[in-house]
Amino acid sequence: MKRFVYINDESCRDFYRDNRISNTKYTFWNFIPKNLCEQFRRFMNQYFLLIACLQLWSTITPVSPATTWGPLAIIFIVSASKEAWDDYNRYLSDKKANERRIWVVKDGIRRQVKAQEIHVGNIVWLHENDEIPCDLVLIGTSDPQGICYVETAALDGETDLKTRIIPSICANLSPEQLGKIKGVAECPNPDNDIRRFDANMRLFPPIIDNEKCPLTINNTLLQSCYLRYTEWACGVAIYTGNETKSGMSRGTAEPKLTAADSVIDKLTVAIFVFQIVVVLVLGFAGNIWKDSHGRKQWYLMYPPKGPWYEFLVIPLRFELLCSIMIPISIKVTLDLAKGVYAKFIDCDDQMFDWETSTPAHSANTAISEDLGQVEYILSDKTGTLTENRMIFRRCCISDRLYGDNNGDALKDVRLLNAVSSNDPDVVKFLMVMTLCNTVVPIKSDDGTISYKAQSQDEEALVNAASNLNMVLTSKDSRSAEISFNGSKFYYELLDVLEFTSDRKRMSVVVKEGGSGKFLLLSKGADEAIFPRSCPGQEIKTYLEAVEMYSHLGLRTLCLGWRDLEEGEYMEWSKKFQDASCSLDNRENKIAEVCHSLEQDIHILGITAIEDRLQDGVPETIKLLRNAGINVWMLTGDKQNTAIQIGLLCNLITPESNGQLLSINGKTEDDILRSLDRALVIMKTAPERKDLAFVLDGCALEIILKRSLESFTRLAMLSRTAICCRMTPLQKAQLVGVLKSSGSLTLAIGDGGNDVRMIQEANIGVGISGREGLQAARAADYSIGKFKFLKRLILVHGRYSYNRTAFISQYSFYKSLLICFIQILFSFSSGLSGTSLFNSISLMAYNVFYTSLPVMTIIFDKDISETTVLQYPQILLYSQAGRLLNPSTFAGWFGRSLYHVK
């Protein structure tokens, strides 16, 4: 389905909604019924409602209905008040956003309106630092080259500025023309994909005559982003209100059920079944006693013949008396305790990252106790275990290795001499480093140039080239200027073949300013570039360089270029334009066209970039493994690089004490045989041998299709695994495999490519890193550094689980004890169903008695934090299931029986 947006035309008002946003869950009229419906979805609330209704039957109730109705009403009012307060705050936030004043242009006249009054087709005029009120197609900016900069952190969490460009069809339009522009944009229906926008636009005369122009995500300004470093920009509203990409992305995350909650639910059902058995036995015995002895007692005043339902009266009385077996306030009590656990995490100064001023934060207050039950940690590498501070270290150009002697190619005399002598191969290599990227140079007032990039690798490469005299001085959507050894070179940027996780490479087509030659410049992973090299080129040295750099733990990229004939480019450009204008399967069509051009590439060399380990990572992983937690590393890097990082951070053990099993092969059968071989070794290896396995994304894809069961068994046996060349989807699939086996998983990452696995895991932890905040916002917990994970799990996780176990045991224990006393009294009162306790005492017990211990229990520390961190094996005892520890429970119950006697 498509939508047609007519620019500067009021007819769109009748077809599409206005820009009013609403994130509220309730309305004034549906709050009470909707909230009650949600609360009665819980089994315990349904149970107590049934008990409360039975107490309204005066014939059977042994106590006042207030003993249940009172606590039930208090619990419902507390829960409803919390929901109402949260929804009211959402309403206030929506009102503030809807009533912001925004400039719109109609037939060349600018006026201010409320944000909620913007309609599809309106032209919206923005100024620097304005928040974008709806999704716009950019049609003009203050920059002569038609570019602007936006900050998208509020949308995707990425802190680097993004460059947005006007469509070519809008180039050279004056501000006056922009205010009177007419045309139509052909767009897909609203969706939540913030990285894709496949549309077309054409303008009507007299501006331009029906020329169709493709639109991509780079031509849009999305709601919730901010305009930066641009005096003004304007765009056409295409999606408004809750139909924007930001609005479609909003939603309520599915609530996560902790292991403790699952046990409590099962325990509640078990106690309910036990209660029914007790009620039936006591009710049957009570009816027998009444017929054999009760009617003979004149003071009991039993009628000679009762109603037909008389046999139900005594059993139902016992049902009401035994209803306190299930503690009515346990849900509220645990919610209160979990809220305090979350505050402990938020206020922990020892988890505050002073370098970035980032505190730990608990976004999900319901699952703190699961932190103490984690069995598998699945971690990203770049930015999670490493700093994500890329430093250019070595390179290989024309079969020559630079930086081997001192570990820094930028100080290698041979490379510096090659640069000063204008070595053609080195010049080409540096030119690809400088132009084949998405870097934007920004000049300060004093003339110095800094670079903004969407990738830390690209920024490192451009800075390295700049240090070698190849300086990117200016760049816009259509041209770039380079200064090298005192000379200036101009290039026309014709097309950008963008990087995707499937292609694993990017290319740009440029035209040299002086010679007019057409060039294809490419960079990417070695497995994406080497197969596309010139048939006769010798690449053995480059393959060896990639292998050597990988063993050093460096990240590698392969650079290449190709001369293009003008006719070849023109023919290809037409195909690329047609694919870019397609609204059906555009991404695959563009990939096919790009593939046809990226052939016969002349390999120029290899870059090697260092990404250092974060401080404290090896010690943290060692502690976590000593605590019995299995740690896996999932990365998109090459296998050798991942293995070296694994050795450095104590993830895998050197060959003398451990063994790394490789699962690979040239064919599917070879891969499956290596999987079976690894499984046999895992089963037969001695316990003291530290075994791990390594596999890549291609092998995983085959294994998940053909041998999922064997892989699951291998995963259960292996304490460590290194999974390299992983796509975001495959990371999430691995988490799913471990979850399906019943293991409790924790996923940790720092970038947008980790969001899927973070959301899939039982517990998601995001690191507020250099890749942005997207992972931290999608996670249950966010921390500043990986090293804080040990405190999050070993201290907060263990304490939270022990406290929850204690509260749950206490609540059920007290309820069963009171009920047991009532049952003993029933035998002494002739099994008549008479209550031992008065109504006020029962109501006070239901409301307060099980909640009071929380005030002391939530601050309880059975052992010190220092002891937990020094002896992480203690966590294993917590994971043994304290919640249902029979010795603790039986000990309490036995001591209570003694006191009852």
Side-chain angles (χ1 to χ4, degrees):
M1 297 290 293
K2 306 174 185 176
R3 69 160 50 184
F4 292 90
V5 177
Y6 290 91
I7 304 171
N8 237 337
D9 193 327
E10 293 296 320
S11 63
C12 290
R13 282 176 175 263
D14 302 329
F15 300 102
Y16 308 119
R17 59 169 299 157
D18 60 20
N19 198 41
R20 185 188 305 271
I21 62 173
S22 176
N23 295 303
T24 56
K25 186 177 180 181
Y26 304 100
T27 66
F28 179 80
W29 303 107
N30 72 6
F31 174 76
I32 292 178
K34 188 173 182 179
N35 185 261
L36 286 176
C37 182
E38 288 183 353
Q39 295 207 49
F40 281 121
R41 288 177 184 173
R42 301 167 185 161
F43 168 76
M44 292 180 68
N45 288 347
Q46 295 172 10
Y47 169 77
F48 285 111
L49 179 64
L50 174 63
I51 296 299
C53 290
L54 286 175
Q55 285 185 342
L56 295 175
W57 188 2
S58 60
T59 304
I60 66 169
T61 181
V63 293
S64 170
T67 59
T68 300
W69 281 105
L72 194 63
I74 290 174
I75 290 171
F76 281 0
I77 289 172
V78 169
S79 298
S81 299
K82 180 178 179 296
E83 286 287 317
W85 178 252
D86 291 343
D87 213 48
Y88 180 67
N89 286 328
R90 285 192 287 267
Y91 164 76
L92 293 179
S93 177
D94 291 344
K95 184 180 179 182
K96 182 179 179 181
N98 288 329
E99 294 183 354
R100 283 188 299 123
R101 307 298 292 184
I102 304 295
W103 288 98
V104 298
V105 183
K106 175 64 179 174
D107 295 328
I109 302 174
R110 296 188 200 180
R111 60 191 178 93
Q112 273 194 324
V113 300
K114 293 181 179 179
Q116 64 188 19
E117 297 173 356
I118 297 173
H119 287 80
V120 171
N122 288 164
I123 295 178
V124 178
W125 206 277
L126 303 168
H127 297 87
E128 186 175 3
N129 297 324
D130 279 354
E131 182 181 356
I132 299 167
C134 58
D135 288 353
L136 308 172
V137 168
L138 184 66
I139 59 173
T141 76
S142 57
D143 186 89
Q145 305 300 329
I147 65 175
C148 70
Y149 304 105
V150 292
E151 179 186 292
T152 62
L155 182 66
D156 59 15
E158 296 181 6
T159 55
D160 292 317
L161 293 180
K162 306 292 191 304
T163 304
R164 295 294 182 254
I165 59 175
I166 63 173
S168 57
I169 200 173
C170 297
N172 302 319
L173 296 181
S174 67
E176 291 74 19
Q177 289 176 306
L178 291 172
K180 300 177 181 179
I181 196 172
K182 295 281 186 178
V184 61
E186 184 181 1
C187 313
N189 277 337
D191 59 52
N192 61 357
D193 191 346
I194 62 174
R195 305 192 182 281
R196 183 172 179 178
F197 179 68
D198 299 336
N200 297 316
M201 184 172 74
R202 70 175 188 271
L203 302 182
F204 297 153
I207 302 298
I208 196 167
D209 190 10
N210 292 328
E211 181 182 342
K212 184 184 286 188
C213 175
L215 303 175
T216 69
I217 198 67
N218 291 327
N219 306 123
T220 63
L221 302 176
L222 300 185
Q223 185 190 55
S224 301
C225 299
Y226 287 84
L227 187 69
R228 302 296 192 200
Y229 300 112
T230 307
E231 184 180 348
W232 61 263
C234 65
V236 179
I238 48 171
Y239 303 126
T240 52
N242 286 357
E243 292 184 344
T244 63
K245 290 184 179 291
S246 174
M248 299 285 284
S249 299
R250 297 188 196 107
T252 304
E254 289 294 322
K256 293 184 177 181
L257 183 68
T258 68
D261 287 336
S262 180
V263 172
I264 290 171
D265 287 347
K266 292 175 183 177
L267 191 58
T268 301
V269 173
I271 291 176
F272 176 72
V273 172
F274 172 71
Q275 177 188 346
I276 295 298
V277 173
V278 170
V279 167
L280 291 176
V281 171
L282 293 178
F284 180 72
N287 280 326
I288 293 176
W289 184 88
K290 181 184 69 174
D291 293 334
S292 61
H293 297 88
R295 296 187 188 276
K296 298 176 183 178
Q297 309 299 325
W298 62 269
Y299 54 84
L300 293 178
M301 294 184 293
Y302 281 114
K305 185 177 181 181
W308 65 269
Y309 56 79
E310 185 180 16
F311 72 97
L312 293 175
V313 172
I314 292 180
L316 288 176
R317 281 186 177 183
F318 278 113
E319 171 61 31
L320 296 178
L321 289 174
C322 293
S323 64
I324 57 176
M325 274 190 185
I326 300 175
I328 190 172
S329 60
I330 188 172
K331 179 69 171 59
V332 173
T333 303
L334 285 176
D335 286 347
L336 172 64
K338 291 177 180 180
V340 177
Y341 303 159
K343 287 300 179 185
F344 286 159
I345 293 173
D346 293 346
C347 300
D348 191 341
D349 289 340
Q350 296 186 51
M351 294 173 62
F352 187 89
D353 183 17
W354 296 99
E355 183 181 344
T356 59
S357 297
T358 304
H361 176 62
S362 174
N364 189 338
T365 62
I367 61 173
S368 296
E369 63 266 28
D370 265 358
L371 288 167
Q373 297 289 286
V374 170
E375 297 171 85
Y376 283 86
I377 294 176
L378 298 99
S379 173
D380 176 44
K381 180 182 76 69
T382 304
T384 304
L385 301 178
T386 62
E387 293 182 344
N388 200 18
R389 296 180 184 273
M390 306 302 177
I391 302 174
F392 184 85
R393 287 300 185 192
R394 306 188 184 203
C395 62
C396 175
I397 307 174
S398 298
D399 299 340
R400 292 182 182 178
L401 301 175
Y402 297 102
D404 286 355
N405 297 330
N406 55 7
D408 188 353
L410 299 181
K411 297 179 181 179
D412 193 315
V413 176
R414 294 174 301 152
L415 181 58
L416 297 176
N417 290 336
V419 170
S420 60
S421 61
N422 291 339
D423 184 290
D425 291 331
V426 173
V427 172
K428 291 178 182 177
F429 183 84
L430 295 178
M431 186 189 73
V432 175
M433 285 175 58
T434 306
L435 291 178
C436 189
N437 50 59
T438 59
V439 171
V440 177
I442 298 177
K443 282 188 178 181
S444 61
D445 295 336
D446 59 3
T448 58
I449 299 175
S450 60
Y451 299 107
K452 285 286 184 181
Q454 299 180 27
S455 162
Q456 302 296 328
D457 296 83
E458 289 186 342
E459 185 177 343
L461 292 178
V462 174
N463 279 319
S466 177
N467 290 332
L468 294 171
N469 297 343
M470 183 73 74
V471 182
L472 179 63
T473 55
S474 66
K475 183 181 181 182
D476 55 47
S477 60
R478 294 190 297 274
S479 64
E481 179 185 274
I482 292 176
S483 172
F484 179 69
N485 285 346
S487 302
K488 292 188 179 297
F489 302 90
Y490 299 91
Y491 295 90
E492 183 180 353
L493 304 179
L494 301 176
D495 292 293
V496 177
L497 288 61
E498 295 183 350
F499 174 90
T500 67
S501 57
D502 293 328
R503 284 168 29 81
K504 296 182 180 179
R505 62 187 181 278
M506 80 162 290
S507 302
V508 295
V509 180
V510 302
K511 181 180 179 182
E512 283 187 340
S515 63
K517 291 169 55 177
F518 292 81
L519 303 173
L520 173 72
L521 313 180
S522 299
K523 81 168 189 300
D526 53 280
E527 74 269 22
I529 300 294
F530 285 153
R532 292 166 177 78
S533 62
C534 296
Q537 184 178 6
E538 180 61 47
I539 61 173
K540 181 180 178 181
T541 304
Y542 297 129
L543 291 170
E544 293 174 350
V546 169
E547 188 78 9
M548 180 183 70
Y549 295 151
S550 298
H551 278 298
L552 295 173
L554 303 177
R555 297 162 59 90
T556 61
L557 283 173
C558 183
L559 275 57
W561 86 341
R562 176 189 168 201
D563 286 318
L564 299 176
E565 297 294 333
E566 183 175 358
E568 177 189 9
Y569 167 72
M570 292 302 178
E571 182 181 352
W572 175 86
S573 180
K574 185 178 183 306
K575 295 178 182 178
F576 187 68
Q577 180 75 5
D578 292 340
S580 300
C581 290
S582 174
L583 294 182
D584 181 29
N585 202 20
R586 177 185 290 188
E587 189 174 348
N588 289 336
K589 290 179 179 179
I590 289 178
E592 290 178 6
V593 175
C594 292
H595 178 77
S596 66
L597 188 69
E598 294 169 324
Q599 302 291 337
D600 299 331
I601 296 174
H602 179 75
I603 308 299
L604 294 173
I606 307 295
T607 64
I609 297 173
E610 179 186 37
D611 187 11
R612 295 175 179 173
L613 280 180
Q614 288 184 21
D615 180 45
V617 167
E619 296 81 5
T620 299
I621 290 180
K622 184 178 181 180
L623 270 175
L624 294 173
R625 296 189 68 199
N626 288 340
I629 300 174
N630 307 311
V631 184
W632 289 23
M633 181 169 70
L634 315 183
T635 177
D637 265 347
K638 289 175 288 299
Q639 181 171 306
N640 288 330
T641 303
I643 291 173
Q644 292 306 310
I645 296 296
L647 287 168
L648 291 173
C649 67
N650 287 331
L651 187 66
I652 55 178
T653 309
E655 287 294 331
S656 56
N657 299 315
Q659 184 177 357
L660 186 62
L661 308 174
S662 181
I663 301 175
N664 55 23
K666 295 182 178 179
T667 64
E668 291 188 8
D669 291 336
D670 290 343
I671 291 172
L672 296 178
R673 278 194 292 270
S674 69
L675 172 64
D676 294 335
R677 185 166 56 251
L679 187 57
V680 170
I681 295 173
M682 284 281 186
K683 289 179 178 178
T684 58
E687 291 187 7
R688 64 179 181 276
K689 190 81 169 177
D690 193 0
L691 298 179
F693 70 86
V694 58
L695 83 165
D696 60 20
C698 295
L700 178 66
E701 185 176 357
I702 294 168
I703 288 170
L704 292 182
K705 287 180 181 178
R706 296 187 53 184
S707 191
L708 176 59
E709 186 177 344
S710 296
F711 180 74
T712 303
R713 289 201 301 269
L714 178 67
M716 293 298 98
L717 292 171
S718 177
R719 295 199 58 199
T720 305
I722 293 178
C723 305
C724 49
R725 297 297 194 192
M726 293 284 125
T727 64
L729 175 60
Q730 288 176 324
K731 291 182 179 182
Q733 287 175 330
L734 278 173
V735 174
V737 168
L738 294 173
K739 279 180 63 180
S740 65
S741 66
S743 300
L744 203 153
T745 59
L746 180 149
I748 179 170
D750 74 313
N753 60 335
D754 302 317
V755 169
R756 274 191 175 185
M757 75 167 181
I758 285 174
Q759 293 177 332
E760 177 69 21
N762 299 101
I763 303 171
V765 179
I767 291 182
S768 305
R770 291 171 64 84
E771 286 191 30
L773 303 173
Q774 193 171 1
R777 287 180 173 170
D780 302 303
Y781 301 92
S782 62
I783 54 179
K785 292 275 193 305
F786 183 86
K787 65 181 179 181
F788 298 136
L789 190 63
K790 66 183 176 186
R791 185 169 178 82
L792 185 67
I793 292 176
L794 299 179
V795 175
H796 292 284
R798 184 182 185 280
Y799 284 161
S800 298
Y801 180 72
N802 283 351
R803 290 161 179 165
T804 296
F806 192 96
I807 292 170
S808 304
Q809 287 179 335
Y810 179 89
S811 299
F812 282 110
Y813 157 72
K814 289 297 183 184
S815 297
L816 287 171
L817 181 61
I818 296 295
C819 188
F820 185 74
I821 295 172
Q822 175 64 58
I823 292 171
L824 288 179
F825 175 75
S826 298
F827 282 104
S828 64
S829 62
L831 295 172
S832 60
T834 303
S835 175
L836 172 63
F837 309 102
N838 63 46
S839 299
I840 295 177
S841 299
L842 276 178
M843 186 166 67
Y845 167 79
N846 281 332
V847 176
F848 303 111
Y849 197 45
T850 51
S851 301
L852 288 176
V854 175
M855 302 310 296
T856 56
I857 293 171
I858 56 178
F859 295 101
D860 172 62
K861 296 183 179 181
D862 56 339
I863 57 176
S864 69
E865 298 174 4
T866 305
T867 304
V868 174
L869 294 175
Q870 285 181 347
Y871 304 99
Q873 296 87 346
I874 293 173
L875 191 69
L876 293 173
Y877 298 102
S878 294
Q879 292 176 337
R882 175 176 172 179
L883 185 59
L884 289 178
N885 190 323
S887 61
T888 303
F889 203 82
W892 281 2
F893 205 73
R895 288 192 296 273
S896 300
L897 287 178
Y898 176 79
H899 289 297
V900 168
K901 292 179 182 179

